[in-house]
Amino acid sequence: MSRKPIIAANWKMHKGPAEAVEFIEEFDNLIGGSSLVDIVLAPTFVSLPAVRDALVNSELIQVASQNCHFEEKGAFTGEISIGMLQEIGVDYVIIGHSERRAIFGEDDRLINAKAKSLHAAGVKPIICIGETLEERDANQVENVLRRQLKEGLMELDGEKMFETVIAYEPVWAIGTGRTATPGQAQEAHAFTRKVIGEIFGEDISAKIRIQYGGSVKPANTAELMSQPDVDGALVGGASLDPGSFSEICKNSTV
Ligand code: 13P
């Protein structure tokens, strides 16, 4: 089963509009006119319009936001609706990132509500899952992933799952420099694919793309990507520099 790799840059709370556009100019030069992988940039909300404008002639790079609200509109101070993101031309929305879960108290039910609204609007979710170090040490990896998948993907439309992306990001590997070994990543990805198969059937589980995230850098990309169930990367720190992110994209075709 060949799945096109998808490499996404999660810039978190970095890069305002000017810096984001500067990145794109440099990155475009480095990556050249073609790529064998899907490339996605996820800037902050305020940088989305500038990024979209800078990419107006690019068929290579797609745009994601790092979050959304599940309601269409209303009294939700500080929130952004999916319709507003569509107006800017956002292709993907990252939901359920562990920083959203741990720092902002998001749970599987809320993530499920966002996923449903994204599917209804026709925007592709990148749904993050992953265990903490305590959960791994307590041999709870499979239980945690199963719960996050069962609850986070509850009642989602099977047809829309083909374009949904799952990102496995072990919390202990995020921003720590401690990458999961290729074997650990493969094990978690294979399990994730199995659970998706139980919920949505084999056709979807064979086609859905599962990204790995957590201290991905140019030097470890190829080995991670060579694992049969690793279909891409969600990159934090190493995506902030156009040089290292372009290397990661280039090293992703194995
Ligand atoms: P790092 O690549 O900085 O570890 O961050 C990973 C991440 O959280 C991407 O969403």
Side-chain angles (χ1 to χ4, degrees), residues 205-226:
S205 76
K207 289 189 181 135
I208 196 167
R209 294 182 292 182
I210 307 174
Q211 296 176 309
Y212 168 79
S215 299
V216 173
K217 31 188 185 273
N220 60 25
T221 305
E223 211 186 353
L224 286 161
M225 291 297 297
S226 69

Side-chain angles (χ1 to χ4, degrees), residues 117-154:
S117 298
L118 286 165
H119 276 186
V123 179
K124 295 171 265 194
I126 297 176
I127 305 175
C128 303
I129 57 170
E131 81 287 355
T132 63
L133 187 57
E134 294 70 42
E135 289 163 341
R136 176 163 283 267
D137 287 345
N139 270 327
Q140 291 300 309
V141 177
E142 294 197 348
N143 286 342
V144 171
L145 297 184
R146 186 183 289 281
R147 189 204 73 227
Q148 291 175 338
L149 289 164
K150 287 239 148 139
E151 293 181 19
L153 306 181
M154 199 159 44

Side-chain angles (χ1 to χ4, degrees), residues 57-181:
N57 293 318
S58 169
E59 285 177 15
L60 215 57
I61 303 171
Q62 293 178 289
V63 177
S65 87
Q66 300 172 17
N67 190 19
C68 66
H69 196 278
F70 62 90
E71 292 284 6
E72 278 173 32
K73 57 177 129 174
F76 303 104
T77 302
E79 291 292 317
I80 309 278
S81 74
I82 296 163
M84 294 168 188
L85 297 170
Q86 281 179 302
E87 207 175 317
I88 294 172
V90 159
D91 306 288
Y92 289 90
V93 176
I94 300 171
I95 54 173
H97 192 280
S98 65
E99 287 150 18
R100 301 287 329 161
R101 293 178 191 257
I103 305 170
F104 302 100
E106 296 197 5
D107 61 12
D108 293 317
R109 267 185 63 185
L110 178 63
I111 292 154
N112 180 244
K114 294 183 186 197
K116 281 182 179 157
S117 298
L118 286 165
H119 276 186
V123 179
K124 295 171 265 194
I126 297 176
I127 305 175
C128 303
I129 57 170
E131 81 287 355
T132 63
L133 187 57
E134 294 70 42
E135 289 163 341
R136 176 163 283 267
D137 287 345
N139 270 327
Q140 291 300 309
V141 177
E142 294 197 348
N143 286 342
V144 171
L145 297 184
R146 186 183 289 281
R147 189 204 73 227
Q148 291 175 338
L149 289 164
K150 287 239 148 139
E151 293 181 19
L153 306 181
M154 199 159 44
E155 292 165 8
L156 289 185
D157 176 356
E159 281 306 305
K160 301 270 172 67
M161 288 306 293
F162 288 110
E163 294 209 302
T164 297
V165 175
I166 305 293
Y168 169 64
E169 299 205 310
V171 179
W172 47 272
I174 295 177
T176 59
R178 188 179 156 191
T179 321
T181 64

